[in-house]
Amino acid sequence: MEDSWLTAEHKNAEDSGLTWNLEGNNYTCYPDYPPCRYDYVFYKGSARCRVKCVHCETTMHKVPGKPFNYSDHEGVLAHLELEKVLEPSQVKPAPLDQSERDASIRQAVQILEEKIGSAASSRLFYTAVLLICLLLILPITHLPLHHLVTSLISLLLGLLIGWSFWMGAVVTEIERRGCLATKSGMEVLLKASSKKSI
């Protein structure tokens, strides 16, 4: 497999290729981690089709007309050129720099492992918020406050309980599973690469 960012014939000079934890992204929330290239477009030709990456760039910065980004990740756009090969003997394999690609994949695996670890601490945080809200909601009803005030506080605590449950049980689990699946796919690429080099 080829990494489109590494093999692209043309790239914008001001485009670093970094896709995650960027300073200008309003969803960035990991100040201890440096920005990195977390998103990739891989491609591979076949005996009947030659493929090359003509241009690669990061996309999806700010939503047009809005002050916020689409996501905490930038998209990667690759323009691929396909050429039909009539005879398999015409296929000339492009020289690959496997070591650079493998280094990028190893870096991505390391970032994924850190993200999987942070998902566990995020789940712990949301569980703590949920428990604190549950402990607070019972005594609130017995406070000598106006009924409207206690109802409003109970409603806010109920919403916070629902949000904490959703984030802790659903969102972090989806993120963890996505990271595990991506990590597994990248490890398969690394194993295949090590078998080729032997």
Side-chain angles (χ1 to χ4, degrees), residues 88-127:
S89 61
Q90 292 178 341
V91 178
K92 297 174 187 168
L96 298 175
D97 185 4
Q98 292 286 17
S99 61
E100 190 174 345
R101 185 198 77 149
D102 290 351
S104 295
I105 293 174
R106 280 190 201 91
Q107 181 187 12
V109 167
Q110 181 183 2
I111 292 166
L112 286 166
E113 287 170 349
E114 291 168 1
K115 188 69 176 162
I116 291 165
S118 73
S121 60
S122 294
R123 179 174 285 163
L124 186 62
F125 168 77
Y126 292 122
T127 303

mmCIF file of all heavy atoms in Angstrom, residues 88-127:
data_model
loop_
_atom_site.group_PDB
_atom_site.id
_atom_site.type_symbol
_atom_site.label_atom_id
_atom_site.label_comp_id
_atom_site.label_asym_id
_atom_site.label_seq_id
_atom_site.Cartn_x
_atom_site.Cartn_y
_atom_site.Cartn_z
ATOM 1 N N PRO A 88 -0.143 -7.459 -18.197
ATOM 2 C CA PRO A 88 0.507 -7.394 -16.892
ATOM 3 C C PRO A 88 2.016 -7.168 -16.989
ATOM 4 O O PRO A 88 2.621 -6.612 -16.096
ATOM 5 C CB PRO A 88 0.210 -8.758 -16.270
ATOM 6 C CG PRO A 88 -1.013 -9.234 -16.961
ATOM 7 C CD PRO A 88 -0.950 -8.644 -18.351
ATOM 8 N N SER A 89 2.640 -7.533 -18.099
ATOM 9 C CA SER A 89 4.086 -7.347 -18.250
ATOM 10 C C SER A 89 4.455 -5.867 -18.366
ATOM 11 O O SER A 89 5.601 -5.497 -18.188
ATOM 12 C CB SER A 89 4.592 -8.113 -19.471
ATOM 13 O OG SER A 89 3.958 -7.628 -20.635
ATOM 14 N N GLN A 90 3.464 -4.995 -18.699
ATOM 15 C CA GLN A 90 3.721 -3.564 -18.812
ATOM 16 C C GLN A 90 3.822 -2.877 -17.448
ATOM 17 O O GLN A 90 4.206 -1.737 -17.356
ATOM 18 C CB GLN A 90 2.604 -2.881 -19.606
ATOM 19 C CG GLN A 90 2.564 -3.264 -21.063
ATOM 20 C CD GLN A 90 1.397 -2.577 -21.761
ATOM 21 O OE1 GLN A 90 0.457 -2.130 -21.125
ATOM 22 N NE2 GLN A 90 1.476 -2.493 -23.073
ATOM 23 N N VAL A 91 3.420 -3.581 -16.402
ATOM 24 C CA VAL A 91 3.413 -2.977 -15.076
ATOM 25 C C VAL A 91 4.834 -2.818 -14.574
ATOM 26 O O VAL A 91 5.586 -3.780 -14.493
ATOM 27 C CB VAL A 91 2.591 -3.841 -14.084
ATOM 28 C CG1 VAL A 91 2.643 -3.227 -12.700
ATOM 29 C CG2 VAL A 91 1.172 -3.987 -14.562
ATOM 30 N N LYS A 92 5.199 -1.588 -14.281
ATOM 31 C CA LYS A 92 6.502 -1.309 -13.696
ATOM 32 C C LYS A 92 6.269 -0.868 -12.259
ATOM 33 O O LYS A 92 5.723 0.219 -12.037
ATOM 34 C CB LYS A 92 7.206 -0.198 -14.476
ATOM 35 C CG LYS A 92 7.500 -0.567 -15.900
ATOM 36 C CD LYS A 92 8.064 0.615 -16.646
ATOM 37 C CE LYS A 92 8.199 0.262 -18.120
ATOM 38 N NZ LYS A 92 8.457 1.432 -18.929
ATOM 39 N N PRO A 93 6.627 -1.705 -11.308
ATOM 40 C CA PRO A 93 6.372 -1.305 -9.923
ATOM 41 C C PRO A 93 7.162 -0.058 -9.555
ATOM 42 O O PRO A 93 8.335 0.067 -9.887
ATOM 43 C CB PRO A 93 6.822 -2.519 -9.102
ATOM 44 C CG PRO A 93 7.669 -3.336 -10.024
ATOM 45 C CD PRO A 93 7.284 -2.994 -11.424
ATOM 46 N N ALA A 94 6.469 0.855 -8.906
ATOM 47 C CA ALA A 94 7.124 2.096 -8.471
ATOM 48 C C ALA A 94 8.050 1.781 -7.305
ATOM 49 O O ALA A 94 7.737 0.933 -6.475
ATOM 50 C CB ALA A 94 6.072 3.101 -8.040
ATOM 51 N N PRO A 95 9.179 2.441 -7.261
ATOM 52 C CA PRO A 95 10.075 2.204 -6.122
ATOM 53 C C PRO A 95 9.413 2.697 -4.832
ATOM 54 O O PRO A 95 8.897 3.811 -4.773
ATOM 55 C CB PRO A 95 11.314 3.034 -6.455
ATOM 56 C CG PRO A 95 10.852 4.033 -7.445
ATOM 57 C CD PRO A 95 9.695 3.432 -8.175
ATOM 58 N N LEU A 96 9.417 1.844 -3.833
ATOM 59 C CA LEU A 96 8.756 2.165 -2.583
ATOM 60 C C LEU A 96 9.777 2.496 -1.506
ATOM 61 O O LEU A 96 10.821 1.859 -1.421
ATOM 62 C CB LEU A 96 7.937 0.970 -2.097
ATOM 63 C CG LEU A 96 6.803 0.489 -2.996
ATOM 64 C CD1 LEU A 96 6.178 -0.758 -2.421
ATOM 65 C CD2 LEU A 96 5.767 1.584 -3.107
ATOM 66 N N ASP A 97 9.465 3.482 -0.729
ATOM 67 C CA ASP A 97 10.262 3.756 0.454
ATOM 68 C C ASP A 97 9.486 3.189 1.636
ATOM 69 O O ASP A 97 8.775 3.903 2.334
ATOM 70 C CB ASP A 97 10.505 5.257 0.607
ATOM 71 C CG ASP A 97 11.438 5.566 1.766
ATOM 72 O OD1 ASP A 97 11.942 4.606 2.391
ATOM 73 O OD2 ASP A 97 11.655 6.750 2.042
ATOM 74 N N GLN A 98 9.606 1.868 1.792
ATOM 75 C CA GLN A 98 8.859 1.170 2.839
ATOM 76 C C GLN A 98 9.233 1.663 4.222
ATOM 77 O O GLN A 98 8.388 1.709 5.104
ATOM 78 C CB GLN A 98 9.104 -0.344 2.750
ATOM 79 C CG GLN A 98 8.520 -1.005 1.535
ATOM 80 C CD GLN A 98 7.014 -1.141 1.619
ATOM 81 O OE1 GLN A 98 6.341 -0.498 2.399
ATOM 82 N NE2 GLN A 98 6.475 -1.998 0.779
ATOM 83 N N SER A 99 10.483 2.030 4.434
ATOM 84 C CA SER A 99 10.909 2.420 5.779
ATOM 85 C C SER A 99 10.205 3.699 6.240
ATOM 86 O O SER A 99 9.784 3.800 7.393
ATOM 87 C CB SER A 99 12.427 2.609 5.833
ATOM 88 O OG SER A 99 12.823 3.625 4.943
ATOM 89 N N GLU A 100 10.030 4.661 5.329
ATOM 90 C CA GLU A 100 9.341 5.902 5.689
ATOM 91 C C GLU A 100 7.858 5.634 5.946
ATOM 92 O O GLU A 100 7.284 6.153 6.897
ATOM 93 C CB GLU A 100 9.520 6.934 4.572
ATOM 94 C CG GLU A 100 9.053 8.318 4.965
ATOM 95 C CD GLU A 100 9.363 9.356 3.903
ATOM 96 O OE1 GLU A 100 10.171 9.092 2.997
ATOM 97 O OE2 GLU A 100 8.773 10.442 3.987
ATOM 98 N N ARG A 101 7.257 4.819 5.101
ATOM 99 C CA ARG A 101 5.850 4.477 5.295
ATOM 100 C C ARG A 101 5.655 3.721 6.598
ATOM 101 O O ARG A 101 4.759 4.021 7.384
ATOM 102 C CB ARG A 101 5.355 3.633 4.124
ATOM 103 C CG ARG A 101 3.849 3.358 4.229
ATOM 104 C CD ARG A 101 3.469 2.216 3.358
ATOM 105 N NE ARG A 101 3.870 0.984 4.009
ATOM 106 C CZ ARG A 101 3.243 -0.160 3.874
ATOM 107 N NH1 ARG A 101 2.230 -0.247 3.080
ATOM 108 N NH2 ARG A 101 3.655 -1.233 4.490
ATOM 109 N N ASP A 102 6.534 2.743 6.869
ATOM 110 C CA ASP A 102 6.420 1.963 8.092
ATOM 111 C C ASP A 102 6.629 2.828 9.328
ATOM 112 O O ASP A 102 5.964 2.631 10.349
ATOM 113 C CB ASP A 102 7.417 0.800 8.085
ATOM 114 C CG ASP A 102 7.039 -0.278 7.074
ATOM 115 O OD1 ASP A 102 5.926 -0.206 6.508
ATOM 116 O OD2 ASP A 102 7.857 -1.196 6.853
ATOM 117 N N ALA A 103 7.545 3.800 9.239
ATOM 118 C CA ALA A 103 7.762 4.713 10.369
ATOM 119 C C ALA A 103 6.508 5.541 10.643
ATOM 120 O O ALA A 103 6.132 5.754 11.805
ATOM 121 C CB ALA A 103 8.954 5.623 10.086
ATOM 122 N N SER A 104 5.841 5.985 9.575
ATOM 123 C CA SER A 104 4.602 6.752 9.737
ATOM 124 C C SER A 104 3.514 5.894 10.366
ATOM 125 O O SER A 104 2.779 6.350 11.245
ATOM 126 C CB SER A 104 4.105 7.272 8.389
ATOM 127 O OG SER A 104 5.004 8.194 7.856
ATOM 128 N N ILE A 105 3.435 4.647 9.922
ATOM 129 C CA ILE A 105 2.414 3.750 10.475
ATOM 130 C C ILE A 105 2.725 3.441 11.942
ATOM 131 O O ILE A 105 1.822 3.416 12.784
ATOM 132 C CB ILE A 105 2.297 2.463 9.633
ATOM 133 C CG1 ILE A 105 1.746 2.804 8.239
ATOM 134 C CG2 ILE A 105 1.407 1.437 10.315
ATOM 135 C CD1 ILE A 105 1.712 1.637 7.274
ATOM 136 N N ARG A 106 3.990 3.221 12.280
ATOM 137 C CA ARG A 106 4.364 2.971 13.683
ATOM 138 C C ARG A 106 4.010 4.175 14.562
ATOM 139 O O ARG A 106 3.532 4.021 15.686
ATOM 140 C CB ARG A 106 5.854 2.662 13.799
ATOM 141 C CG ARG A 106 6.192 1.244 13.439
ATOM 142 C CD ARG A 106 7.644 0.887 13.789
ATOM 143 N NE ARG A 106 8.048 -0.251 13.003
ATOM 144 C CZ ARG A 106 8.632 -0.197 11.812
ATOM 145 N NH1 ARG A 106 8.906 0.959 11.264
ATOM 146 N NH2 ARG A 106 8.953 -1.291 11.166
ATOM 147 N N GLN A 107 4.244 5.375 14.035
ATOM 148 C CA GLN A 107 3.883 6.583 14.777
ATOM 149 C C GLN A 107 2.370 6.642 14.991
ATOM 150 O O GLN A 107 1.897 6.978 16.078
ATOM 151 C CB GLN A 107 4.361 7.824 14.029
ATOM 152 C CG GLN A 107 4.041 9.121 14.740
ATOM 153 C CD GLN A 107 4.379 10.346 13.910
ATOM 154 O OE1 GLN A 107 4.660 10.252 12.722
ATOM 155 N NE2 GLN A 107 4.333 11.507 14.532
ATOM 156 N N ALA A 108 1.608 6.300 13.956
ATOM 157 C CA ALA A 108 0.147 6.306 14.076
ATOM 158 C C ALA A 108 -0.316 5.262 15.086
ATOM 159 O O ALA A 108 -1.236 5.519 15.871
ATOM 160 C CB ALA A 108 -0.494 6.048 12.716
ATOM 161 N N VAL A 109 0.316 4.090 15.100
ATOM 162 C CA VAL A 109 -0.044 3.044 16.069
ATOM 163 C C VAL A 109 0.225 3.535 17.491
ATOM 164 O O VAL A 109 -0.583 3.320 18.395
ATOM 165 C CB VAL A 109 0.721 1.727 15.769
ATOM 166 C CG1 VAL A 109 0.621 0.750 16.920
ATOM 167 C CG2 VAL A 109 0.196 1.093 14.490
ATOM 168 N N GLN A 110 1.343 4.219 17.689
ATOM 169 C CA GLN A 110 1.676 4.750 19.011
ATOM 170 C C GLN A 110 0.625 5.772 19.458
ATOM 171 O O GLN A 110 0.178 5.757 20.602
ATOM 172 C CB GLN A 110 3.058 5.391 18.978
ATOM 173 C CG GLN A 110 3.506 5.943 20.316
ATOM 174 C CD GLN A 110 4.858 6.633 20.225
ATOM 175 O OE1 GLN A 110 5.452 6.733 19.161
ATOM 176 N NE2 GLN A 110 5.331 7.122 21.355
ATOM 177 N N ILE A 111 0.208 6.639 18.549
ATOM 178 C CA ILE A 111 -0.812 7.642 18.874
ATOM 179 C C ILE A 111 -2.132 6.954 19.203
ATOM 180 O O ILE A 111 -2.829 7.337 20.149
ATOM 181 C CB ILE A 111 -0.975 8.638 17.715
ATOM 182 C CG1 ILE A 111 0.288 9.489 17.593
ATOM 183 C CG2 ILE A 111 -2.201 9.520 17.902
ATOM 184 C CD1 ILE A 111 0.388 10.266 16.304
ATOM 185 N N LEU A 112 -2.475 5.918 18.438
ATOM 186 C CA LEU A 112 -3.704 5.179 18.711
ATOM 187 C C LEU A 112 -3.657 4.518 20.083
ATOM 188 O O LEU A 112 -4.660 4.499 20.803
ATOM 189 C CB LEU A 112 -3.944 4.131 17.615
ATOM 190 C CG LEU A 112 -4.406 4.689 16.281
ATOM 191 C CD1 LEU A 112 -4.290 3.629 15.189
ATOM 192 C CD2 LEU A 112 -5.832 5.194 16.371
ATOM 193 N N GLU A 113 -2.505 3.949 20.465
ATOM 194 C CA GLU A 113 -2.375 3.334 21.784
ATOM 195 C C GLU A 113 -2.581 4.363 22.891
ATOM 196 O O GLU A 113 -3.247 4.090 23.894
ATOM 197 C CB GLU A 113 -1.008 2.666 21.924
ATOM 198 C CG GLU A 113 -0.892 1.389 21.121
ATOM 199 C CD GLU A 113 0.525 0.836 21.045
ATOM 200 O OE1 GLU A 113 1.480 1.560 21.446
ATOM 201 O OE2 GLU A 113 0.672 -0.307 20.593
ATOM 202 N N GLU A 114 -2.038 5.561 22.703
ATOM 203 C CA GLU A 114 -2.240 6.635 23.681
ATOM 204 C C GLU A 114 -3.709 7.037 23.744
ATOM 205 O O GLU A 114 -4.256 7.273 24.822
ATOM 206 C CB GLU A 114 -1.378 7.843 23.328
ATOM 207 C CG GLU A 114 0.106 7.603 23.502
ATOM 208 C CD GLU A 114 0.975 8.696 22.891
ATOM 209 O OE1 GLU A 114 0.436 9.673 22.330
ATOM 210 O OE2 GLU A 114 2.210 8.562 22.976
ATOM 211 N N LYS A 115 -4.352 7.098 22.587
ATOM 212 C CA LYS A 115 -5.769 7.473 22.536
ATOM 213 C C LYS A 115 -6.639 6.415 23.210
ATOM 214 O O LYS A 115 -7.598 6.745 23.897
ATOM 215 C CB LYS A 115 -6.182 7.666 21.067
ATOM 216 C CG LYS A 115 -7.544 8.237 20.893
ATOM 217 C CD LYS A 115 -7.602 9.668 21.357
ATOM 218 C CE LYS A 115 -8.974 10.238 21.059
ATOM 219 N NZ LYS A 115 -9.251 11.430 21.819
ATOM 220 N N ILE A 116 -6.297 5.144 23.023
ATOM 221 C CA ILE A 116 -7.042 4.060 23.668
ATOM 222 C C ILE A 116 -6.890 4.177 25.178
ATOM 223 O O ILE A 116 -7.854 4.001 25.929
ATOM 224 C CB ILE A 116 -6.561 2.689 23.149
ATOM 225 C CG1 ILE A 116 -6.981 2.509 21.681
ATOM 226 C CG2 ILE A 116 -7.101 1.545 23.996
ATOM 227 C CD1 ILE A 116 -6.279 1.378 20.957
ATOM 228 N N GLY A 117 -5.681 4.502 25.638
ATOM 229 C CA GLY A 117 -5.460 4.704 27.071
ATOM 230 C C GLY A 117 -6.228 5.897 27.610
ATOM 231 O O GLY A 117 -6.780 5.855 28.713
ATOM 232 N N SER A 118 -6.293 6.970 26.828
ATOM 233 C CA SER A 118 -7.013 8.158 27.302
ATOM 234 C C SER A 118 -8.523 7.925 27.309
ATOM 235 O O SER A 118 -9.242 8.576 28.066
ATOM 236 C CB SER A 118 -6.660 9.380 26.460
ATOM 237 O OG SER A 118 -7.255 9.324 25.192
ATOM 238 N N ALA A 119 -9.013 6.989 26.495
ATOM 239 C CA ALA A 119 -10.448 6.669 26.510
ATOM 240 C C ALA A 119 -10.845 6.094 27.865
ATOM 241 O O ALA A 119 -11.932 6.384 28.376
ATOM 242 C CB ALA A 119 -10.794 5.691 25.392
ATOM 243 N N ALA A 120 -9.958 5.307 28.481
ATOM 244 C CA ALA A 120 -10.251 4.737 29.801
ATOM 245 C C ALA A 120 -10.321 5.845 30.853
ATOM 246 O O ALA A 120 -11.227 5.845 31.706
ATOM 247 C CB ALA A 120 -9.183 3.717 30.176
ATOM 248 N N SER A 121 -9.403 6.818 30.797
ATOM 249 C CA SER A 121 -9.454 7.915 31.775
ATOM 250 C C SER A 121 -10.660 8.818 31.514
ATOM 251 O O SER A 121 -11.261 9.334 32.458
ATOM 252 C CB SER A 121 -8.157 8.710 31.768
ATOM 253 O OG SER A 121 -7.918 9.268 30.502
ATOM 254 N N SER A 122 -11.051 8.971 30.247
ATOM 255 C CA SER A 122 -12.259 9.751 29.942
ATOM 256 C C SER A 122 -13.494 9.070 30.510
ATOM 257 O O SER A 122 -14.368 9.725 31.088
ATOM 258 C CB SER A 122 -12.425 9.917 28.432
ATOM 259 O OG SER A 122 -11.397 10.688 27.900
ATOM 260 N N ARG A 123 -13.554 7.759 30.358
ATOM 261 C CA ARG A 123 -14.702 7.012 30.900
ATOM 262 C C ARG A 123 -14.762 7.168 32.418
ATOM 263 O O ARG A 123 -15.836 7.327 32.993
ATOM 264 C CB ARG A 123 -14.601 5.540 30.508
ATOM 265 C CG ARG A 123 -15.755 4.729 31.076
ATOM 266 C CD ARG A 123 -15.746 3.326 30.579
ATOM 267 N NE ARG A 123 -16.221 3.356 29.210
ATOM 268 C CZ ARG A 123 -16.050 2.383 28.354
ATOM 269 N NH1 ARG A 123 -15.403 1.305 28.697
ATOM 270 N NH2 ARG A 123 -16.519 2.466 27.139
ATOM 271 N N LEU A 124 -13.613 7.140 33.088
ATOM 272 C CA LEU A 124 -13.554 7.318 34.534
ATOM 273 C C LEU A 124 -14.050 8.706 34.927
ATOM 274 O O LEU A 124 -14.812 8.854 35.888
ATOM 275 C CB LEU A 124 -12.119 7.096 35.017
ATOM 276 C CG LEU A 124 -11.892 7.100 36.518
ATOM 277 C CD1 LEU A 124 -12.671 5.969 37.170
ATOM 278 C CD2 LEU A 124 -10.420 6.960 36.818
ATOM 279 N N PHE A 125 -13.663 9.724 34.156
ATOM 280 C CA PHE A 125 -14.121 11.091 34.425
ATOM 281 C C PHE A 125 -15.646 11.187 34.308
ATOM 282 O O PHE A 125 -16.308 11.739 35.190
ATOM 283 C CB PHE A 125 -13.456 12.071 33.454
ATOM 284 C CG PHE A 125 -14.064 13.438 33.460
ATOM 285 C CD1 PHE A 125 -13.792 14.326 34.487
ATOM 286 C CD2 PHE A 125 -14.929 13.833 32.442
ATOM 287 C CE1 PHE A 125 -14.359 15.593 34.504
ATOM 288 C CE2 PHE A 125 -15.506 15.088 32.452
ATOM 289 C CZ PHE A 125 -15.222 15.976 33.488
ATOM 290 N N TYR A 126 -16.208 10.650 33.224
ATOM 291 C CA TYR A 126 -17.661 10.735 33.032
ATOM 292 C C TYR A 126 -18.409 9.934 34.092
ATOM 293 O O TYR A 126 -19.494 10.325 34.539
ATOM 294 C CB TYR A 126 -18.049 10.265 31.628
ATOM 295 C CG TYR A 126 -17.559 11.194 30.546
ATOM 296 C CD1 TYR A 126 -16.727 10.748 29.534
ATOM 297 C CD2 TYR A 126 -17.917 12.534 30.546
ATOM 298 C CE1 TYR A 126 -16.261 11.610 28.551
ATOM 299 C CE2 TYR A 126 -17.458 13.403 29.564
ATOM 300 C CZ TYR A 126 -16.637 12.935 28.572
ATOM 301 O OH TYR A 126 -16.178 13.790 27.602
ATOM 302 N N THR A 127 -17.841 8.817 34.538
ATOM 303 C CA THR A 127 -18.455 8.031 35.611
ATOM 304 C C THR A 127 -18.454 8.826 36.913
ATOM 305 O O THR A 127 -19.443 8.822 37.654
ATOM 306 C CB THR A 127 -17.708 6.699 35.788
ATOM 307 O OG1 THR A 127 -17.716 5.990 34.553
ATOM 308 C CG2 THR A 127 -18.343 5.846 36.860
#
